[in-house]
């Protein structure tokens, strides 16, 4: 199997990174760290290291100063489950899942997973089944369905569910073949523009992304983790949400560290005008909404490049930008289910049915790849100009993770409990929710330590405007 250093080298050089910069990275720790037959710890370590190295390179471009980055595998695994270890005024997180979310058996003896944390997704499942939102009633209704038929019907009704497939079943689908033609991180020039100068002269206390402006239009984990990472390296990140959009409060707190947060109603012309004004002065636009949702409102990548030539536009999708599932909604748990991970882990554990990965690693790794791609594209823009489109997907990250290989006996690894999380990984900080005990960033930069200089705040706490650049 490839070493972590070799895996990082592949990520870095595939996005145009200078191989010489890899000498400035130190990766520590041994796998496995948590119980899985997959190399989840290495996936987290190498994606976080790639983002950290991109920040180091931007610092060199802006200041002429070289620095090192070190990433410890134990710290990484804790950060890639940061939502588990968050405490608000010493209180642990509430239950992570809606009452009817999870795995069910269908009439043809298959398994399906329903994701019902958002009310409209729960309602869609219940409507298709003609069932009340109670677990026993949902299970009884599903015994009248074939698994794949239910998956198809639920998606058509606006729900998000997944049929558990083996890796071989997934690989035979046209969507899997489409992903095989795509890179892990796509960075594509989509328009002409002159190079944009870096926003300001750096001063004491600055970090690699100081003065850069990031619009963050994302929810749940992957997209918000990307914004949180860019904020850790000094960017002004403005999280834009809508007052009526559902959110998962605990995740909002955990991934909101370092960000400003404003409400804009994009379905109104006044709201779209606000967004265009923000976009005009942004450096990076990062979004994870349902494919084509923002395009319908006038904020497709090509629209953004016209509004602000030189923009770096980052797109997160569930299943990639090509193939028949390109517009299908999805979350980490569903992509794990449909692409073979849950089946494979279940088999490795000797159980009949799905077994989840011990972290939402598709989400977290993809979030770090988003931040990595955004920084690599921004560095290219500053040197050669152009508008750029960065694309990542949960399923493509999954394909990459699968291809890293399996760990014999990996499921026998003791799990990390909250009590075993090293105190050095946790910081206590104020927030708009109370005192947070939260996981520090695991990429340690030698001269510009990552930190979140703004507290996590309730959604919509700030005006929809950029802070004044010093």
């Amino acid at each position: 199997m490839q070493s972590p250093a070799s895996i990082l080298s592949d990520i870095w050089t595939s996005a145009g990174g200078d191989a010489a910069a890899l000498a400035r990275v130190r990766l520590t720790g041994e796998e496995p760290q948590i119980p899985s037959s997959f190399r989840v710890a290495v996936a987290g370590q190498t994606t976080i290291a790639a983002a950290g190295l991109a920040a180091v390179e931007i610092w060199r471009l802006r200041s002429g100063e070289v620095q090192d980055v070190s990433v410890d595998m134990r710290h990484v695994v804790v950060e890639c489950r940061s939502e588990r270890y968050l405490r608000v005024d010493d209180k642990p997180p509430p239950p992570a899942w809606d009452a009817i979310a999870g795995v069910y058996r269908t009439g043809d003896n298959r398994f399906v997973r329903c994701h019902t944390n958002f009310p409209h997704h729960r309602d869609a499942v219940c409507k298709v089944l003609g069932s009340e939102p109670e677990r026993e009633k949902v299970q009884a209704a599903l015994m009248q369905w074939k698994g794949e038929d239910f998956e198809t019907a639920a998606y058509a009704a606006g729900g998000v569910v997944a049929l558990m497939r083996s890796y071989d079943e997934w690989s035979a689908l046209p969507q899997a073949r489409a992903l095989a033609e795509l890179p892990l991180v796509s960075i594509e020039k989509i328009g002409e523009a002159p190079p944009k100068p870096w926003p300001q002269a750096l001063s004491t206390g600055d970090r690699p992304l100081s003065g850069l402006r990031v619009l963050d239009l994302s929810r749940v984990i992957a997209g918000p983790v990307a914004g949180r990472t860019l904020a850790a390296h000094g960017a002004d990140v403005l999280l834009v949400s809508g007052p009526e959009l559902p959110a998962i409060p605990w995740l909002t707190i955990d991934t909101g560290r370092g960000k400003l947060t404003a409400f804009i109603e994009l379905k109104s012309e006044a709201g779209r005008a606000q967004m265009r004004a923000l976009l005009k002065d942004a450096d990076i636009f990062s979004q994870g909404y349902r494919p084509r949702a923002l395009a319908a409102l006038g904020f497709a990548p090509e629209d953004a490049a016209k509004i602000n030539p030189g923009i770096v536009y980052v797109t997160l999708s569930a299943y990639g930008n090509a193939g028949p599932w390109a517009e299908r909604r999805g979350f980490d748990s569903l992509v794990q289910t449909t692409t073979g991970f849950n089946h494979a882990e279940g088999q490795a554990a000797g159980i009949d049915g799905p077994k989840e990965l011990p972290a939402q690693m598709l989400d977290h790794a993809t979030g770090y790849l988003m931040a990595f791609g955004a920084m690599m594209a921004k560095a290219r823009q500053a040197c050669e100009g152009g508008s750029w489109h960065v694309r990542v997907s949960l399923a493509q990250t999954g394909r990459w993770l699968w291809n890293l290989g399996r760990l014999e006996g990996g499921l026998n690894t003791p799990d990390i409990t909250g009590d075993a999380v090293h105190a050095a990984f946790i910081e206590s900080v104020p927030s708009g929710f109370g005192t947070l005990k939260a996981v520090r960033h695991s990429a340690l930069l030698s001269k510009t330590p990552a930190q979140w200089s703004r507290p996590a705040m309730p959604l919509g706490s700030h005006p929809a405007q950029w802070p004044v650049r010093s």
Side-chain angles (χ1 to χ4, degrees):
M1 290 192 294
Q2 271 188 292
S3 69
S6 175
I7 294 164
L8 173 61
S9 176
D10 285 349
I11 297 171
W12 179 251
T13 56
S14 70
D18 179 1
L22 292 161
R24 299 197 285 275
V25 182
R26 181 167 174 258
L27 304 177
T28 59
E30 300 293 331
E31 59 182 336
Q33 291 282 337
I34 48 179
S36 178
S37 67
F38 290 92
R39 301 181 72 189
V40 289
V42 166
Q45 183 181 42
T46 53
T47 53
I48 288 174
L53 186 55
V56 163
E57 279 294 276
I58 287 178
W59 181 255
R60 183 184 64 79
L61 289 171
R62 295 184 71 179
S63 72
E65 190 176 41
V66 171
Q67 62 173 319
D68 300 324
V69 58
S70 59
V71 184
D72 177 72
M73 197 181 291
R74 188 77 161 180
H75 192 168
V76 159
V77 168
V78 172
E79 186 173 12
C80 288
R81 306 200 297 186
S82 58
E83 63 275 3
R84 298 189 186 191
Y85 305 120
L86 179 70
R87 299 292 181 268
V88 179
D89 292 333
D90 289 325
K91 296 182 182 68
W97 296 99
D98 174 74
I100 65 165
V103 175
Y104 296 86
R105 197 181 289 269
T106 57
D108 58 346
N109 207 32
R110 299 293 297 264
F111 292 93
V112 293
R113 184 183 298 278
C114 298
H115 194 294
T116 55
N117 279 5
F118 289 159
H120 62 295
H121 292 156
R122 182 184 61 226
D123 293 346
V125 166
C126 291
K127 182 178 179 181
V128 167
L129 294 177
S131 170
E132 296 295 316
E134 298 173 22
R135 191 163 191 88
E136 295 77 13
K137 292 181 179 178
V138 169
Q139 178 59 82
L142 276 166
M143 294 311 292
Q144 309 303 313
W145 284 80
K146 291 182 177 179
E148 190 168 4
D149 290 346
F150 172 65
E151 179 187 56
T152 301
Y155 270 110
V160 278
V161 304
L163 174 70
M164 187 180 81
R165 292 174 173 85
S166 70
Y167 181 71
D168 287 344
E169 286 179 310
W170 163 250
S171 298
L173 294 181
Q175 191 58 37
R177 296 196 293 273
L179 283 178
E181 303 299 318
L182 300 176
L184 177 61
V185 181
S186 167
I187 303 177
E188 180 184 9
K189 188 176 180 182
I190 58 169
E192 297 299 329
K196 286 187 176 183
W198 295 105
Q200 62 194 41
L202 294 168
S203 57
T204 303
D206 277 339
R207 283 165 287 156
L209 306 185
S210 290
L212 292 182
R213 292 169 169 172
V214 179
L215 276 172
D216 181 356
L217 278 74
S218 64
R219 291 181 291 173
V220 194
I221 296 179
V225 162
R228 185 180 69 185
T229 305
L230 298 171
H233 293 303
D236 290 319
V237 178
L238 177 58
L239 173 64
V240 175
S241 184
E244 304 304 319
L245 286 175
I248 301 174
W250 206 258
L251 296 179
T252 298
I253 299 170
D254 182 47
T255 62
R257 289 176 282 157
K259 301 178 186 180
L260 301 164
T261 169
F263 283 145
I264 296 179
E265 180 46 80
L266 288 179
K267 292 182 179 177
S268 73
E269 179 48 44
R272 291 191 292 274
Q274 277 185 296
M275 178 60 73
R276 287 191 292 270
L278 288 169
L279 175 54
K280 199 170 188 311
D281 292 324
D283 297 286
I284 296 167
F285 184 104
S286 179
Q287 70 96 5
Y289 282 90
R290 181 172 53 82
R292 297 211 300 180
L294 289 181
L297 299 172
F299 298 102
E302 296 75 17
D303 298 324
K306 290 175 184 174
I307 294 167
N308 181 357
I311 193 71
V312 171
Y313 190 109
V314 186
T315 297
L316 164 70
S317 63
Y319 290 102
N321 60 286
W325 288 17
E327 296 189 19
R328 183 170 283 205
R329 309 169 191 86
F331 296 98
D332 178 306
S333 58
L334 301 177
V335 177
Q336 282 190 41
T337 302
T338 204
T339 61
F341 283 98
N342 285 183
H343 176 263
E345 286 280 65
Q347 282 200 319
I351 64 173
D352 174 30
K355 181 175 176 55
E356 300 84 2
L357 296 177
Q360 301 234 53
M361 192 52 73
L362 305 187
D363 259 335
H364 283 272
T366 303
Y368 294 114
L369 289 172
M370 288 177 76
F372 165 68
M375 286 186 273
M376 297 299 279
K378 179 58 194 168
R380 288 183 71 172
Q381 203 292 325
C383 292
E384 61 187 81
S387 299
W388 296 85
H389 189 194
V390 178
R391 288 183 291 204
V392 298
S393 73
L394 301 178
Q396 187 67 318
T397 300
R399 179 174 178 272
W400 167 77
L401 171 58
W402 189 286
N403 289 334
L404 295 182
R406 306 286 292 278
L407 296 171
E408 186 72 32
L411 280 168
N412 299 324
T413 308
D415 205 352
I416 303 172
T417 65
D419 295 338
V421 173
H422 197 286
F425 301 161
I426 304 291
E427 60 184 2
S428 182
V429 292
S431 79
F433 305 90
T435 300
L436 305 187
K437 289 181 179 175
V439 180
R440 298 176 185 272
H441 189 43
S442 56
L444 306 183
L445 278 59
S446 59
K447 295 181 178 176
T448 62
Q451 59 175 298
W452 291 290
S453 55
R454 293 186 172 101
M457 296 294 291
L459 293 175
S461 291
H462 302 101
Q465 62 189 43
W466 294 115
V468 177
R469 283 173 170 154
S470 59

